[in-house]
Amino acid sequence: MPHPARPTVTLRDVAAAAGVSVPTASRVLGGSSRTVAAEYRQRVLAAAAALRYSADASARAMRRANDSIAVVGDDLTTPSMGMAAAAMERRARDAGAFVTVSSTHGTATRQLETVRLQRALRPRALILTSSRLDANALDGRLLDELLGYELEGGLVVIVGDTDMPFDSISFDNYGSAKELAHHIAELGHRHVTILAGARGRGNVSARTAGFMAGLRDGGVEERHIRISHGAVSRQGGFDAAQRLVAEGREPSHAVLAANDTIAIGAMSAFRAAGVAVPADVSLTGFDDIELATDVTPRLTTVSLPLAQAGAEAVRLALRARAEKEHLMMRGQVVVRDSTTIRVA
């Protein structure tokens, strides 16, 4: 009679048995160059032996038939993702590698499914781009999957905010937004609406908080700041601007949008309603996508180094194993034609 299959022991099981964090267990069992205290190292090794945990050496070598880099993104249709992905592809091609791209629609479940699929395909590296990736997502299962992939010899790079123990590139959304909002306050605007996008979305939430801080520092009273939530899309911006016009209340002297796509949608709605930008309302965006300079008036925005981030992500993915790098990139306020001085 065949013996029942032994349950798979995960890295999280070993960490729990040893009483250490998953990243600590990963460093011990994955041969990281980072020092782990002797006490913890012994506890991890003892727990791994007791649980019969082993990382298959042949899998760890990650023998591949190609030099692919798998990019896993939230939404492949956004201009900002397009800019980053194009830079990734160029940098990879120069290094003799190539890029594949998958979309997850920003859901943790789909991220987990996609990472599992990519592990089976054994790419050289995984680059995850998302507004926020949390270590405790899905009770840590996504983190476990990524740690397992690194134990097999792959490299993980995250573009976006995260508390996971991998190479990462993030943007100072809060600080850049604060600088832009302070500029708007200095132009004399004292009634402002923030088109904040969807609630709970990491990057746009940080930008909204930065907008609020910059406006307050610039002398705008909080009671004169309105926040409007909606879809992070051109249609979301169009609908939000339509609502502002229809409300008929004290008009905003300025509208700060959480990204350029929202701002461009709002600009279209204002134009349709006979509201002139910037004569009636100043309007700003965030990201500095190519379309920001093609619309009329040209959009005042924050220019994020999206292409640089994409190229840096591939550099990290292709390098030899080393200490983890955590890069923070700051945007630059770009003043164009969609904003003007507000005369009291």
Side-chain angles (χ1 to χ4, degrees), residues 274-298:
V275 176
V277 177
D280 298 325
V281 58
S282 285
L283 177 65
T284 69
F286 207 106
D287 286 339
D288 199 22
I289 63 176
E290 290 184 358
L291 194 56
T293 58
D294 290 336
V295 294
T296 304
R298 297 180 309 151

Side-chain angles (χ1 to χ4, degrees), residues 18-280:
V20 300
S21 68
V22 173
T24 295
S26 174
R27 284 193 287 271
V28 173
L29 298 174
S32 170
S33 61
R34 292 186 63 181
T35 302
V36 175
E39 174 193 353
Y40 297 133
R41 179 178 178 80
Q42 290 303 319
R43 281 159 54 177
V44 170
L45 293 174
L51 295 172
R52 298 183 180 179
Y53 174 87
S54 65
D56 182 1
S58 63
R60 190 181 300 220
M62 290 290 283
R63 299 188 182 100
R64 303 172 192 85
N66 57 60
D67 255 338
S68 67
I69 300 172
V71 177
V72 180
D74 285 353
D75 184 355
L76 306 184
T77 66
T78 64
S80 56
M81 180 62 197
M83 293 168 68
M88 291 178 190
E89 195 278 330
R90 287 193 297 270
R91 183 66 179 261
R93 185 175 64 245
D94 290 344
F98 65 95
V99 169
T100 64
V101 187
S102 304
S103 175
T104 65
H105 307 293
T107 67
T109 300
R110 185 64 183 272
Q111 288 167 344
L112 177 60
E113 292 172 350
T114 304
V115 169
R116 282 177 174 166
L117 173 62
Q118 291 297 343
R119 280 187 70 182
L121 298 174
R122 297 192 298 181
R124 177 171 179 172
L126 280 173
I127 298 177
L128 279 72
T129 71
S130 185
S131 61
R132 176 76 194 178
L133 284 169
D134 291 311
N136 63 359
L138 300 176
D139 296 323
R141 284 181 290 158
L142 177 58
L143 174 60
D144 275 345
E145 203 72 29
L146 292 170
L147 288 169
Y149 171 74
E150 284 215 329
L151 283 173
E152 294 168 352
L155 281 172
V156 175
V157 180
I158 294 176
V159 180
D161 294 333
T162 188
D163 58 352
M164 291 187 179
F166 306 113
D167 289 314
S168 65
I169 301 171
S170 59
F171 299 100
D172 183 11
N173 287 294
Y174 177 91
S176 302
K178 182 177 179 180
E179 184 180 347
L180 175 61
H182 194 270
H183 169 72
I184 290 300
E186 286 185 326
L187 291 177
H189 298 288
R190 289 298 176 264
H191 292 80
V192 180
T193 294
I194 299 171
L195 304 186
R199 297 178 187 273
R201 186 163 168 175
N203 56 351
V204 294
S205 295
R207 294 172 188 181
T208 298
F211 288 153
M212 291 290 295
L215 292 171
R216 286 194 299 262
D217 288 354
V220 180
E221 296 180 34
E222 193 158 340
R223 65 192 178 94
H224 291 153
I225 303 173
R226 290 187 281 175
I227 298 178
S228 175
H229 292 280
V232 183
S233 65
R234 181 190 178 282
Q235 189 62 49
F238 187 94
D239 294 342
Q242 272 196 328
R243 288 194 298 270
L244 285 178
V245 173
E247 285 172 359
R249 296 185 292 172
E250 174 70 24
S252 293
H253 296 169
V255 171
L256 310 183
N259 71 14
D260 291 344
T261 305
I262 295 173
I264 290 168
M267 185 182 292
S268 180
F270 285 140
R271 181 179 295 111
V275 176
V277 177
D280 298 325

Side-chain angles (χ1 to χ4, degrees), residues 3-25:
H3 294 289
R6 182 164 58 89
T8 301
V9 177
T10 69
L11 191 64
R12 182 169 292 274
D13 296 328
V14 175
V20 300
S21 68
V22 173
T24 295

